């Protein structure tokens, strides 16, 4: 199933079951909801709506606080969350009005042993849409298998974090590789914010891109820079062109940077520069011709 559909994603369902009073207090809830806020911000920029169950605001955040109690909270995170949900309300804002039901009202839907009939999870599975979940061990970035009437198998993707959202968008051709890489490695050692797309993945096959991602993950998983330098698979080294004429970066804004390169499975190379603990990825090379001269 293509969870995002062939056309642009139009809406997501908000998972009310991901709120069952599991947070210590409202501050913890808001801190743990920053990935959800980031997803909502992206979706809002794309014109995507949010559909909720009509009792969503009665869901518990803590043992004694409901989502509706956020109305009295005046910090920035609470304001952002409330503003996004208000501005993104689908039309109608609640899906559980009988005339809009996607579910078969005579059917039963189960997630494992849990009856999820008449929930956003069942509705999203019938509508072939994703659900956006708050931090909960049962719904954090995973595919959920729904059994309808003990025989028909449906599924739905439950999204919590932005990088997981970007991964599925990329796999289903709803975003490009550059946005995906920025999201996948956000706040990590590799930084793709300065990547020059004209020296990117235009001619790379899918398997070649996957080779590169495997190398990027290896780069990230190293305990430190000493391990990266010693890693013979990555072959991390200074880019040292034979002459100024051969310097790939001599006319770029990065001409004064110390450029390094590392292997993304032969013959592919990744070029960039280090600044503190960050490595800014600038360009990719597919055929090693540049590397032959440096």
């Amino acid at each position: 199933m293509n969870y995002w559909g062939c056309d642009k994603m139009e809406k997501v369902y908000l998972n009310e079951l991901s709120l069952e009073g599991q947070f210590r207090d409202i501050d913890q809830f808001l801190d743990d909801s920053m990935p959800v806020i980031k997803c909502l911000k992206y979706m809002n920029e794309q014109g995507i709506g949010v559909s909720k169950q009509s009792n969503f605001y009665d869901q518990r955040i803590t043992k004694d606080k409901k989502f509706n109690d956020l109305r009295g909270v005046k910090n920035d995170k609470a304001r952002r969350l409330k503003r996004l949900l208000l501005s993104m309300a689908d039309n109608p804002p609640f899906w559980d009005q009988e005339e809009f039901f996607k579910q078969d009202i005579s059917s039963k839907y189960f997630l494992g042993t849990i009856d999820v009939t008449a929930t956003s999870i069942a509705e999203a599975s019938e509508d072939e849409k994703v659900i956006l979940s708050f931090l909960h061990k049962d719904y954090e970035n995973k595919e959920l298998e729904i059994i309808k009437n003990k025989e028909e198998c449906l599924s739905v993707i439950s999204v919590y974090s932005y990088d997981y959202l970007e991964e599925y968008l990329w796999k289903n051709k709803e975003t490009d590789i550059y946005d995906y890489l920025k999201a996948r490695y956000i706040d990590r050692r590799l930084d793709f914010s300065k990547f020059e797309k004209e020296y990117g993945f235009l001619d790379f096959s899918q398997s070649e891109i996957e080779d590169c991602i495997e190398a990027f993950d290896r780069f990230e998983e190293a305990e430190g820079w000493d391990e990266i330098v010693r890693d013979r698979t990555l072959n991390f080294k200074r880019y040292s062109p034979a002459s100024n004429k051969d310097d790939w970066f001599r006319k770029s804004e990065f001409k004064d940077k110390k450029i390094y390169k590392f292997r993304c499975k032969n013959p592919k190379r990744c070029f960039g520069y280090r600044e503190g603990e960050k490595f800014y990825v600038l360009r990719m090379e597919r055929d090693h011709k540049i590397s032959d001269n440096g």
Side-chain angles (χ1 to χ4, degrees), residues 103-109 115 117-118 126 148-149 152:
Q103 298 172 61
D104 180 351
I105 59 175
S106 64
S107 295
K108 283 288 187 180
Y109 299 79
D115 186 350
T117 305
E126 286 284 18
K148 177 181 177 181
N149 294 331
E152 185 179 353

Side-chain angles (χ1 to χ4, degrees), residues 19 54-61 65-68:
L19 294 177
S54 56
N55 69 351
F56 175 79
Y57 293 102
D58 291 325
Q59 298 303 119
R60 288 181 297 117
I61 293 174
K65 296 289 185 182
K66 296 180 179 180
F67 195 94
N68 202 41

Side-chain angles (χ1 to χ4, degrees), residues 3-65:
Y3 298 101
W4 307 107
C6 296
D7 301 319
K8 181 178 174 62
M9 182 167 57
E10 296 177 349
K11 70 176 177 181
V12 298
Y13 288 85
L14 204 56
N15 181 13
E16 71 279 358
L17 297 186
S18 63
L19 294 177
E20 56 176 17
Q22 71 267 35
F23 299 96
R24 180 184 64 251
D25 52 36
I26 286 181
D27 284 340
Q28 184 196 30
F29 165 71
L30 291 170
D31 287 344
D32 288 342
S33 296
M34 289 306 295
V36 176
I37 292 172
K38 189 167 186 179
C39 287
L40 287 170
K41 181 177 181 294
Y42 169 82
M43 293 170 181
N44 189 42
E45 290 168 351
Q46 301 300 312
I48 298 166
V50 172
S51 194
K52 304 180 288 295
Q53 193 179 57
S54 56
N55 69 351
F56 175 79
Y57 293 102
D58 291 325
Q59 298 303 119
R60 288 181 297 117
I61 293 174
T62 71
K63 290 180 180 179
D64 59 353
K65 296 289 185 182

